[in-house]
Amino acid sequence: MKVGTEISKRFATNIFGTIAGFLGTVLFTRELGFDGIGIYAIFFSVQMVAANLVSFGLYPTLTKRVSEKKHEARQFTSGGLILLGGVAIVTVVSLGFRDQINKLVGVDAALLVPLGVLSWGLFRLSGSFLEGKQRVALVGAIENGRYALIVPIQAALIALGFGVLGLIWGLIAGQFLVFLISYVGFARVVPARPSIELFRDFIHYSKYAYVQSVTSQLFKQADYILLGQFVGPGAAGVYQNVFRITEASMLFSSALAQVTFPQFSALTEEGDDKRIADLLTSVFTYAGLFAVPMIGGGAVIGNSLLLTIYANSAGTFSLPVIGIVGTANALIPVLAVANLLNGYREGLEHFFLGTDRPRLYAASGALLIFVYALLSVPLTLLAGSWGVAWATVLAFGASVVSLLVFLDQQIPPSALKDVGSQFVSMVVMTTIVYGLKLRLGGAFGWFRITLLIGIGAMTYFVILLALNERIRIDAVNVIRDLCSEFLSS
């Protein structure tokens, strides 16, 4: 498998999914307001946190074991049994704490949480199996394409007058459809009875992956729950829209982590240390490729972008020293930094997990949970959505530092140079965009926003390619491989 080509294909599917999800968020925010989309965001977060708390790390474990080509059908069955056990736990908890969950979400939806967990878990189960078979781009197309199914169902239910509950039911129905497409259309694995030995081996390994499954939900999902509890659904709705914008910055790092994980595992089985080192270097070089420009760009045009989309400002926020700025202008750069750190964290964690060092992988996740638990509530009470965003940044930063301490390979100076060239390109881009914004008299309006984003993106990548030979060569090679693959298909 050509890693650069596979990452590019997964990246393309990530873009498709993000655009579909963002358009859905825009449509439903206009229909239901920031409060309505905030209620839906809180329900989705409850679903995701519950799903990962009771999954016991089965998804990365299944990918790992299948990538090793060991008892694939039996491993799939082990994962399925764990999923069903987790859904049973969620059902009991949802029944026991029905009133509290409904109060947190804002609508009577507690009994829908188990259905959401089951539908999401099923398509993740089949997707993890396909990732283990190194069909990562296909999984990306399926997982990101789910929005193309979910959003139309949700839109139809809202048109029929179901309101926020229509969004929730549309989510559940769409996730079930995605599972059917993934399993029946591609995975087609016939479950096989797992032996007690295999099941124990699965559980033994998944306990390390479990920590990562929990920590992955501290970014975005736990944020919404805290905002819903302490600030309100309106703030969660604004945060949802801002996150949808910043989500674009993590598309490439997510594709990079998803593709490299089974590769690290397969190369470890082969004992190919050189290719492992080269792949690790790529993680450092490319994890922040799109998050870095979002830091400067979001600070300049963030609030104007939300105002243009909704004709409704996200409000203002008072920052120390800087003073009053738009809420989106304050949030987007912070969430972009969180995305940047999350990209490095995912890449490093998948390196440790793929190279059979799950304890280090789990330790960094435990540290992340500790720091987030320590800071999230005080910072949310102090500064609302901006505070919870900073809690995420600090937790991710602590995790990345711990992973770097445990790393037994020296980070190549060339990779540090690559990261430096990205920041230089971002500073130049931000200066040009800010100057043009002043020249135009602001960034509000579709023409101005489109012009500024287009010029900013072009400036960033032109300067980056001019400064960095490695990225320039890699880009040419990937384009050549993609063209060759397209022409031969």
Side-chain angles (χ1 to χ4, degrees):
M1 179 179 72
K2 294 181 178 179
V3 175
T5 304
E6 195 71 10
I7 291 171
S8 299
K9 290 190 291 185
R10 181 68 191 239
F11 176 52
T13 62
N14 285 355
I15 291 175
F16 172 76
T18 299
I19 291 174
F22 179 68
L23 291 177
T25 300
V26 170
L27 171 65
F28 303 138
T29 301
R30 290 188 175 216
E31 285 290 324
L32 304 172
F34 285 122
D35 283 344
I37 199 67
I39 290 172
Y40 171 66
I42 294 168
F43 172 85
F44 183 75
S45 296
V46 171
Q47 170 196 288
M48 295 303 296
V49 171
N52 281 274
L53 282 175
V54 300
S55 69
F56 307 106
L58 75 92
Y59 306 116
T61 301
L62 181 60
T63 298
K64 168 70 174 173
R65 290 301 185 227
V66 172
S67 70
E68 296 170 348
K69 300 179 174 61
K70 298 176 180 177
H71 308 288
E72 298 171 359
R74 292 185 176 187
Q75 299 289 2
F76 180 84
T77 306
S78 298
L81 292 174
I82 292 172
L83 170 62
L84 293 177
V87 172
I89 294 172
V90 173
T91 302
V92 172
V93 173
S94 297
L95 286 170
F97 294 90
R98 178 176 179 176
D99 293 339
Q100 293 89 335
I101 295 173
N102 288 337
K103 182 179 178 181
L104 172 65
V105 175
V107 293
D108 188 3
L111 299 184
L112 298 179
V113 175
L115 285 176
V117 171
L118 176 62
S119 59
W120 183 83
L122 285 172
F123 90 74
R124 279 295 294 123
L125 187 71
S126 58
S128 297
F129 178 84
L130 290 170
E131 284 181 346
K133 304 289 284 183
Q134 300 201 16
R135 303 185 69 181
V136 181
L138 171 63
V139 176
I142 294 171
E143 290 191 1
N144 290 292
R146 74 185 187 272
Y147 293 108
L149 293 174
I150 293 171
V151 171
I153 296 172
Q154 291 175 323
L157 291 174
I158 287 179
L160 292 173
F162 288 94
V164 176
L165 283 175
L167 293 181
I168 295 172
W169 275 110
L171 171 70
I172 294 169
Q175 289 176 162
F176 270 120
L177 285 175
V178 173
F179 162 67
L180 291 175
I181 292 170
S182 176
Y183 181 78
V184 178
F186 300 98
R188 298 175 185 172
V189 55
V190 179
R193 182 179 178 181
S195 67
I196 298 298
E197 182 183 354
L198 273 176
F199 193 78
R200 286 175 177 171
D201 175 69
F202 194 100
I203 295 295
H204 173 74
Y205 193 85
S206 68
K207 67 185 179 184
Y208 299 113
Y210 176 62
V211 177
Q212 191 275 340
S213 298
V214 175
T215 59
S216 67
Q217 300 313 305
L218 293 182
F219 187 37
K220 180 172 69 170
Q221 310 304 349
D223 293 355
Y224 292 131
I225 293 175
L226 286 173
L227 289 173
Q229 179 68 33
F230 296 111
V231 185
V238 172
Y239 198 89
Q240 162 87 340
N241 279 274
V242 170
F243 185 85
R244 283 295 187 186
I245 293 171
T246 60
E247 199 170 28
S249 69
M250 66 185 294
L251 296 180
F252 195 83
S253 63
S254 176
L256 182 67
Q258 288 158 336
V259 172
T260 56
F261 175 38
Q263 277 288 296
F264 278 132
S265 179
L267 293 173
T268 299
E269 284 293 302
E270 297 170 8
D272 195 336
D273 293 337
K274 183 181 184 305
R275 289 180 64 191
I276 290 174
D278 291 341
L279 205 56
L280 181 61
T281 300
S282 296
V283 167
F284 285 104
T285 295
Y286 292 108
L289 186 64
F290 291 88
V292 170
M294 184 72 74
I295 297 172
V300 173
I301 64 171
N303 233 51
S304 297
L305 182 58
L306 254 64
L307 184 60
T308 299
I309 294 172
Y310 302 112
N312 185 10
S313 173
T316 58
F317 194 86
S318 179
L319 296 180
V321 181
I322 298 175
I324 301 296
V325 298
T327 299
N329 291 67
L331 269 179
I332 291 178
V334 179
L335 287 176
V337 172
N339 276 309
L340 176 66
L341 293 172
N342 193 33
Y344 289 124
R345 181 187 69 88
E346 281 190 336
L348 287 168
E349 284 189 339
H350 282 103
F351 166 75
F352 283 114
L353 187 62
T355 53
D356 294 327
R357 285 175 286 178
R359 290 186 179 181
L360 299 179
Y361 164 88
S364 73
L367 177 63
L368 192 156
I369 293 172
F370 173 76
V371 175
Y372 186 88
L374 186 68
L375 298 176
S376 57
V377 173
L379 289 179
T380 302
L381 293 173
L382 178 67
S385 55
W386 200 65
V388 76
W390 270 109
T392 304
V393 168
L394 295 172
F396 282 167
S399 178
V400 171
V401 169
S402 69
L403 289 167
L404 291 174
V405 169
F406 290 133
L407 190 65
D408 56 1
Q409 297 189 34
Q410 182 180 2
I411 303 173
S414 61
L416 298 177
K417 179 182 177 182
D418 295 337
V419 175
S421 65
Q422 293 168 19
F423 275 93
V424 170
S425 301
M426 181 269 289
V427 171
V428 176
M429 176 207 74
T430 304
T431 303
I432 292 175
V433 170
Y434 182 69
L436 184 57
K437 175 185 172 182
L438 293 178
R439 183 75 174 177
L440 293 173
F444 172 69
W446 287 109
F447 173 75
R448 292 179 182 180
I449 282 289
T450 303
L451 180 65
L452 290 173
I453 292 176
I455 291 176
M458 183 177 66
T459 301
Y460 173 77
F461 284 107
V462 166
I463 294 175
L464 180 61
L465 291 172
L467 290 176
N468 195 293
E469 183 181 13
R470 171 190 166 90
I471 295 177
R472 187 166 63 246
I473 292 173
D474 285 349
V476 171
N477 289 336
V478 168
I479 291 172
R480 184 189 302 119
D481 290 341
L482 286 172
C483 290
S484 176
E485 187 170 313
F486 177 76
L487 292 174
S488 62
S489 61

